[in-house]
């Protein structure tokens, strides 16, 4: 058993927390880009495309994130694509995030009144112009609070990446516990760090929700 002071434990966990934050940001940004693309093609109205996007969303919403990471990490090498835990975790979380953001944003776009579409169409705008100048700016105000709120789920979802060997906050906690045999202290510190990352995001989402509700009135 190694001797670790409380500072040693906290310091090593802080180093690992950098990877938790980086993985969360990367997955959220890439997932947002993919989600926006899926939203655009789904809203365009082609029935076959709508079915494909709906199937994509239901697939990733209806299966555990852990299974998705396993398929990416162990499945890609079967077709000759060796991926590191970082790449597998990023890809898996990106797909997971994109599915949920697509559905969140779809609801926000559909909340915009039909009259907005008809008015912009009467001005001769095509679909891209309608989305860019009329629909998305209004949907953005509705989408910001749930989008920020979902970012908390992405941060907590990074913990699952420890199963495939990616050393983030949870994995580092397990490694330190194996060295110190102090699980209560170590995982207590892990919980505090997750709280310090997630709680400000929760407060920010709540603040935005209240702010936009007040503006709507």
């Amino acid at each position: 058993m190694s001797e670790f002071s409380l500072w040693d434990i906290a310091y090593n966990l802080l180093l690992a927390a950098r990877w938790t934050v980086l993985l969360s940001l990367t997955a959220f940004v890439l997932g947002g880009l993919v989600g926006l693309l899926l939203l655009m093609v789904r809203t365009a109205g082609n029935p076959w495309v709508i079915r494909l996007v709906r199937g994509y969303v239901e697939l990733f919403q209806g299966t555990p994130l852990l299974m998705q990471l396993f398929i990416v990490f162990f499945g890609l090498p079967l077709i000759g694509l060796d991926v590191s835990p970082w790449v597998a975790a990023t890809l898996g979380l990106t797909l997971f995030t994109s599915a949920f953001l697509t559905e969140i944003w779809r609801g926000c776009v559909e909340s915009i009144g039909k009259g907005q579409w008809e008015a912009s169409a009467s001005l001769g705008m095509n679909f891209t112009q309608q989305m860019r100048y009329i629909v998305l700016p209004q949907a953005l105000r509705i989408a910001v609070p749930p989008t920020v709120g979902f970012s908390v789920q992405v941060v907590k979802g990074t913990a699952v990446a420890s199963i495939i060997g990616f050393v983030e906050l949870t994995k580092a906690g397990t490694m330190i516990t194996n060295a110190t045999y102090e699980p209560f202290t170590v995982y207590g510190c892990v919980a505090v760090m997750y709280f310090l990352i997630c709680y400000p995001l929760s407060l920010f989402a709540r603040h935005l929700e209240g702010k936009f509700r007040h503006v709507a009135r």
Side-chain angles (χ1 to χ4, degrees):
M1 181 181 69
S2 301
E3 291 293 333
F4 278 70
S5 66
L6 183 60
W7 165 248
D8 292 329
I9 293 173
Y11 178 73
N12 283 281
L13 290 176
L14 281 172
L15 293 178
R18 298 178 305 171
W19 290 103
T20 292
V21 173
L22 180 60
L23 179 58
S24 301
L25 287 174
T26 304
F28 194 78
V29 171
L30 295 179
L33 293 174
V34 175
L36 182 60
L37 177 62
L38 293 175
L39 172 68
M40 294 291 288
V41 298
R42 178 170 183 171
T43 310
N46 185 297
W48 288 103
V49 174
I50 291 176
R51 291 191 185 98
L52 287 174
V53 175
R54 185 183 299 156
Y56 174 91
V57 170
E58 290 178 354
L59 174 65
F60 286 100
Q61 285 189 341
T63 55
L65 176 59
L66 176 61
M67 189 199 73
Q68 297 167 19
L69 291 177
F70 275 149
I71 291 176
V72 172
F73 186 64
F74 296 109
L76 291 181
L78 296 178
I79 59 175
L81 298 175
D82 290 326
V83 293
S84 65
W86 162 256
V87 173
T90 301
L91 180 57
L93 279 166
T94 295
L95 297 175
F96 171 82
T97 302
S98 66
F100 279 87
L101 289 180
T102 298
E103 197 65 9
I104 291 172
W105 294 343
R106 179 191 63 81
C108 297
V109 168
E110 290 184 353
S111 70
I112 304 303
K114 187 178 179 181
Q116 299 289 326
W117 291 93
E118 294 173 346
S120 57
S122 69
L123 295 175
M125 292 185 177
N126 57 33
F127 172 75
T128 303
Q129 291 172 327
Q130 288 176 302
M131 290 292 286
R132 179 179 179 183
Y133 296 112
I134 305 299
V135 177
L136 289 182
Q138 297 180 74
L140 178 63
R141 293 174 55 186
I142 306 171
V144 169
T147 300
V148 175
F150 178 70
S151 67
V152 175
Q153 302 303 317
V154 177
V155 173
K156 292 189 288 187
T158 60
V160 183
S162 63
I163 302 297
I164 61 173
F166 181 70
V167 182
E168 40 65 69
L169 189 52
T170 300
K171 182 68 173 181
T174 301
M175 296 168 66
I176 295 172
T177 297
N178 292 338
T180 62
Y181 294 99
E182 297 181 17
F184 183 80
T185 301
V186 175
Y187 286 119
C189 291
V190 170
V192 168
M193 289 185 185
Y194 273 117
F195 179 79
L196 291 176
I197 296 172
C198 294
Y199 188 62
L201 291 174
S202 299
L203 289 179
F204 186 49
R206 193 179 308 163
H207 167 73
L208 290 174
E209 186 175 0
K211 180 179 179 180
F212 289 134
R213 186 185 297 119
H214 178 73
V215 171
R217 291 176 182 175

